[in-house]
Amino acid sequence: MLFKKLLSSIGIGTATVDTKLAKAQYVQGETVEGIVDIRGGSVEQHIDEIYLALVTTYIREIDDKKHEEKAVLARYKVSGSLAIGPNETKTIPFQFALPYDVPVTLGTSKVWLQTGLDIKMALDPQDRDYLTIEPHPLVTAFLKAAEQLGFRLRHVQCEQAPRYWQRRLPFVQEFEFKPASGAFKGRLDELEAIFFVSERSVDVLLEIDRKARGLSGLFAEALDMDETFVRFTYSAGDIPTLPQLLADAIKKYS
């Protein structure tokens, strides 16, 4: 028995964990439901806590080099202290609401749930489940408005944000558009958008990168003075006129 306890303490013959979700695709702010299945190992073990961590990655630049960092968006407690006997199985249901600032899984962005069991003096069993995160309906409305104006979504990435842009998280998710057709082709190099989503509205920060025109334009571009930041807020009632709102904001600074 003492030998079995020793094996348990170093993570041999320990419990396993498997999280099963009701579905794999969600919208920002939607409720996630599922169960955590725990199966005991060869010895009885005491579990201090069962948790779910919502995790993503973002790009952080250090000394002009880009590094991928992990960020925990939220942590949810599924269960407190419990014991699991040899080969015993336990099923624990859970549900939680995704935060509105969870990144959408476009481009290089990935989001996953990491399930863990806290077991003292042992290698904690873990399980990873990837999620597909769709944009909030208000963000989807913006993407459609940009498409109507001739913009093509080219790149989406989570990047470390300056302190004055940061809210709850150390990064923002940038959506980069190229003007492929329409009135802004030839006038802009690109358009970047950052969305700060809440339940009923979106605060969007636009970076308008004007196309260099003439010597003064080339000089401004060389000094990074050709970029202008525009901020505005919209809600569901603005969706019918969102293409015009976006066009007016761009025209004002392009």
Side-chain angles (χ1 to χ4, degrees):
M1 180 62 70
L2 180 61
F3 182 65
K4 282 190 174 182
K5 286 183 178 179
L6 177 62
L7 290 179
S8 174
S9 71
I10 61 175
I12 299 174
T14 57
T16 59
V17 61
D18 182 23
T19 295
K20 299 173 182 176
L21 301 173
K23 59 179 183 175
Q25 185 170 316
Y26 298 89
V27 173
Q28 292 169 307
E30 187 177 351
T31 297
V32 177
E33 295 183 351
I35 58 172
V36 174
D37 280 340
I38 311 161
R39 183 176 181 84
S42 57
V43 295
E44 182 178 288
Q45 285 184 289
H46 183 81
I47 299 169
D48 292 328
E49 181 186 23
I50 304 172
Y51 65 88
L52 296 169
L54 187 66
V55 188
T56 190
T57 60
Y58 67 97
I59 300 300
R60 182 183 180 194
E61 193 167 310
I62 304 174
D63 297 328
D64 296 326
K65 293 183 180 179
K66 293 185 176 182
H67 303 266
E68 186 177 78
E69 301 276 354
K70 288 182 182 178
V72 176
L73 305 170
R75 182 180 165 115
Y76 308 97
K77 184 176 179 179
V78 175
S79 173
S81 176
L82 59 86
I84 185 82
N87 299 316
E88 182 185 3
T89 58
K90 290 183 184 289
T91 297
I92 303 174
F94 66 84
Q95 69 172 32
F96 63 86
L98 286 170
Y100 286 103
D101 55 5
V102 59
V104 301
T105 50
L106 294 174
T108 60
S109 301
K110 296 178 182 178
V111 175
W112 68 90
L113 268 181
Q114 189 162 302
T115 311
L117 309 183
D118 280 342
I119 302 175
K120 287 180 181 177
M121 303 298 293
L123 299 176
D124 294 342
Q126 292 188 342
D127 179 39
R128 180 181 290 194
D129 296 273
Y130 284 91
L131 304 178
T132 299
I133 308 295
E134 299 289 338
H136 187 279
L138 290 175
V139 176
T140 298
F142 182 99
L143 299 179
K144 290 180 179 179
E147 185 178 3
Q148 286 182 38
L149 296 177
F151 288 96
R152 177 175 56 85
L153 184 61
R154 187 178 72 168
H155 187 61
V156 181
Q157 184 169 274
C158 293
E159 298 182 4
Q160 183 180 21
R163 287 190 178 275
Y164 51 85
W165 283 1
Q166 289 181 17
R167 294 195 176 180
R168 192 179 69 89
L169 302 172
F171 67 88
V172 292
Q173 187 173 39
E174 293 186 348
F175 291 70
E176 183 182 302
F177 301 85
K178 276 288 186 181
S181 61
F184 298 106
K185 185 179 181 181
R187 293 178 61 182
L188 299 185
D189 278 337
E190 64 182 23
L191 177 71
E192 291 187 2
I194 298 169
F195 303 100
F196 300 100
V197 183
S198 61
E199 184 179 0
R200 293 184 175 84
S201 65
V202 171
D203 190 16
V204 58
L205 177 65
L206 299 179
E207 183 179 348
I208 300 169
D209 189 354
R210 297 184 294 270
K211 195 171 183 68
R213 289 190 291 270
L215 187 60
S216 61
L218 291 171
F219 181 71
E221 189 173 74
L223 296 177
D224 288 335
M225 296 168 56
D226 63 324
E227 297 175 346
T228 302
F229 294 96
V230 182
R231 197 168 199 155
F232 67 92
T233 301
Y234 66 94
S235 59
D238 299 311
I239 289 178
T241 59
L242 191 54
Q244 190 59 52
L245 287 173
L246 178 57
D248 291 344
I250 297 172
K251 285 176 183 175
K252 188 175 180 180
Y253 297 99
S254 64

